[in-house]
Amino acid sequence: MLEQMEWVKPEEIEARSMAIIANEMPAGDWTPGELQVVKRCIHTSADFDYARNLWFSEGAVEKACKVLRQNPVIVTDTNMGAAGINKTALGKLGIAVRCFMADPDVAVEAKNRGVTRAVVSMERAAEISGPLILAVGNAPTALIRIYELVKEGRMKPSLLIAAPVGFVNVVEAKEQIMTMDVPCIVAKGRKGGSGIAAAICNALLYQVAE
């Protein structure tokens, strides 16, 4: 079987993949910027469900592209998510990515308070000055704490990517986030993950850096 396959040059693989996605995905009423995010998520996951479960607050992509030109800090809830964000695009724009999850003091505080490290990490993110983008792909407790911090006036992210994956409090946390007056891109339902959060970041970065 492998002997019969056509070898594709590495530089052609992504272009051909995107052409297949464009041919097979259902019709939608996305803006051009939103469409790039949808296609990137499908490309990352090979899952066309993202054509129907990605939710964009009004103007979220346009607002995100604007803030990406203002040297924001991107905070993720996993090191895997941070690793998946394209370093070349980040470098072109001078953007830093932070993840506090593995910091020893975060682990100690979380244990002492009886909360998750994601909760403490989002509190650390709230202390960052300047434009802030949050990319959550794992922990619904991160979303719950973000919601509380925004309501308390302690955090005002320029963009929130809400894409945790799982079964416990995931759907409810995402639905709560969708009620906030904050630019959001949400992977509704149970699906998501660190790779999807990174893919959304990359789709936005590519629109600005290329």
Side-chain angles (χ1 to χ4, degrees):
M1 178 65 70
L2 287 175
E3 293 178 355
Q4 299 174 2
M5 292 178 62
E6 174 191 2
W7 285 102
V8 182
K9 294 179 181 180
E11 60 270 21
E12 295 178 3
I13 293 174
E14 180 170 330
R16 290 180 62 169
S17 296
M18 286 299 188
I20 292 169
I21 291 168
N23 184 58
E24 295 186 12
M25 70 184 300
D29 59 353
W30 306 284
T31 67
E34 291 170 352
L35 178 59
Q36 294 305 309
V37 174
V38 174
K39 290 170 68 176
R40 182 62 54 182
C41 288
I42 295 171
H43 179 264
T44 297
S45 63
D47 187 346
F48 281 87
D49 279 356
Y50 287 101
R52 62 179 177 81
N53 73 0
L54 282 179
W55 179 85
F56 301 85
S57 66
E58 185 174 357
V61 170
E62 291 76 14
K63 293 172 183 176
C65 289
K66 181 178 180 179
V67 78
L68 284 171
R69 298 183 175 93
Q70 301 171 358
N71 299 112
V73 174
I74 299 175
V75 175
T76 68
D77 68 328
T78 64
N79 284 310
M80 181 184 298
I85 302 175
N86 187 279
K87 302 303 181 292
T88 300
L90 289 169
K92 287 181 179 178
L93 297 170
I95 296 174
V97 177
R98 301 287 305 277
C99 181
F100 301 102
M101 293 291 286
D103 290 4
D105 62 323
V106 168
V108 170
E109 182 175 344
K111 182 177 181 180
N112 290 340
R113 291 171 53 191
V115 298
T116 67
R117 286 180 297 158
V119 166
V120 180
S121 293
M122 294 306 107
E123 293 170 353
R124 294 283 195 278
E127 297 171 359
I128 295 174
S129 60
L132 175 66
I133 294 175
L134 302 173
V136 179
N138 182 67
T141 54
L143 295 186
I144 294 168
R145 189 60 180 132
I146 290 166
Y147 180 86
E148 294 171 346
L149 289 166
V150 170
K151 290 298 182 181
E152 294 166 7
R154 295 173 57 190
M155 174 184 274
K156 185 67 173 179
S158 300
L159 174 71
L160 170 57
I161 295 168
V165 60
F167 300 95
V168 179
N169 291 331
V170 170
V171 174
E172 296 84 355
K174 291 175 181 177
E175 290 177 348
Q176 188 177 56
I177 288 299
M178 291 166 63
T179 68
M180 294 196 312
D181 184 24
V182 168
C184 294
I185 300 175
V186 181
K188 297 188 298 181
R190 294 172 169 176
K191 292 186 178 182
S194 297
I196 291 298
I200 294 171
C201 287
N202 287 336
L204 298 170
L205 285 165
Y206 297 157
Q207 292 182 52
V208 179
E210 294 184 349

